[in-house]
Amino acid sequence: MQQHWYTGPLASFDTETTGVDVETDRIVSAALVVQPAPGAPVRAVTWLADPGVPIPDGARAVHGITDERVRAHGRPARAVVAEVTRALAEQARAGCPVVVMNAPYDLTLLDRELRRHHGLTLTDGLDGAGLVILDPRVLDKHVDRYRKGRRTLTDLCAHYGVELAGAHDAAADATAALALTRRIGARYPAALGGLTAAELHLRQAVWHAAQARGLQSWFDRSGVQERVDLSWPLRPARCVCGRRLEPGHGCEAAA
């Protein structure tokens, strides 16, 4: 009997941070959980980082991590982001798909932390290991496009009947996102089960772009002055001029 991706090994990655701006905010904690099969115990690796900047009250109210805690028990962010990247590369080399809820947030923030502390992109840090990402937010929007309501991790877990114990703890969120992704695959085998995880990775980039265009159209019609990034699972770095940092960019501000 053919094994579907949602019945095989999966990993899941999540972070807690100083805020929601991927360009300027920092990682405070991170978790990578691995599960060989549905119902099997998960193995979790967690990190606590001293971000090197004060944790704002708003972020602390969400995840409960204080400046005092990271100073006493956290490790330098430079070391943590390097270890996290190596752990993700190990999963990629093992051929294990990695669940990342709202991937353009966590992966872009990790990319910017690597640039900040090591002068490397996430692609550089993975050293040729290609991550296969499964994003339950993108998958859910694809299979149930017109359902009303928010699609946060808490909302999706409630909708699919997945337990989320200790929300806004990186390990708890990663564990719930992994179970959620299995549940979505199992509920929609016709739409998702016939594809490999690698095929899904490629299709999610297309699906996310279409979803983002739809949201942008709604913003434009509503007069909301907000731009939606079409990129998935990683947002491209941008120069201070606002353009993407690409070879031949030619902007003096990027020098």
Side-chain angles (χ1 to χ4, degrees), residues 2-252:
Q2 182 181 6
Q3 184 183 61
H4 297 295
W5 60 264
Y6 50 84
T7 62
L10 291 180
S12 184
F13 173 64
D14 188 69
T15 64
E16 298 297 331
T17 66
T18 61
V20 297
D21 187 335
V22 296
E23 302 297 340
T24 60
D25 280 306
R26 313 293 181 92
I27 292 174
V28 175
S29 68
L32 181 69
V33 304
V34 182
Q35 186 186 45
V42 299
R43 175 174 56 85
V45 181
T46 61
W47 295 266
L48 182 67
D50 182 346
V53 299
I55 301 172
D57 292 343
R60 188 169 62 250
V62 172
H63 52 59
I65 301 174
T66 64
D67 292 327
E68 293 75 18
R69 180 179 168 192
V70 297
R71 288 169 187 158
H73 304 290
R75 297 172 55 230
R78 175 182 173 85
V80 168
V81 299
E83 287 185 12
V84 166
T85 305
R86 285 196 295 270
L88 289 173
E90 287 176 7
Q91 296 306 314
R93 285 192 287 269
C96 184
V98 180
V99 172
V100 188
M101 171 72 186
N102 192 16
Y105 174 75
D106 293 87
L107 294 183
T108 303
L109 203 146
L110 177 59
D111 174 85
R112 303 313 190 253
E113 285 276 59
L114 278 167
R115 292 170 186 263
R116 182 176 296 120
H117 295 290
H118 295 276
L120 299 173
T121 67
L122 180 56
T123 301
D124 294 334
L126 293 171
D127 194 25
L131 282 173
V132 173
I133 302 298
L134 298 170
D135 187 336
R137 189 167 182 265
V138 176
L139 296 176
D140 173 68
K141 282 187 175 183
H142 176 70
V143 296
D144 200 353
R145 177 180 177 185
Y146 297 107
R147 189 179 78 251
K148 296 185 182 300
R150 301 182 344 140
R151 303 194 194 220
T152 66
L153 179 61
T154 300
D155 297 318
L156 292 181
C157 285
H159 178 75
Y160 285 93
V162 172
E163 180 182 6
L164 174 55
H168 302 298
D169 170 85
D173 286 357
T175 301
L178 192 154
L180 170 65
T181 302
R182 290 195 190 280
R183 187 68 56 87
I184 294 172
R187 184 173 294 188
Y188 295 97
L192 304 174
L195 300 169
T196 67
E199 290 169 336
L200 269 179
H201 178 101
L202 297 176
R203 297 208 183 184
Q204 283 170 107
V206 177
W207 296 342
H208 175 270
Q211 293 161 8
R213 289 190 191 97
L215 180 58
Q216 186 66 67
S217 296
W218 185 86
F219 282 158
D220 294 343
R221 293 194 304 270
S222 304
V224 177
Q225 299 300 312
E226 185 170 339
R227 307 310 300 172
V228 182
D229 199 312
L230 306 185
S231 304
W232 183 97
L234 181 68
R235 298 175 191 168
R238 296 185 182 276
C239 176
V240 292
C241 74
R243 292 173 58 197
R244 292 187 179 187
L245 282 176
E246 297 173 335
H249 175 71
C251 178
E252 292 182 1

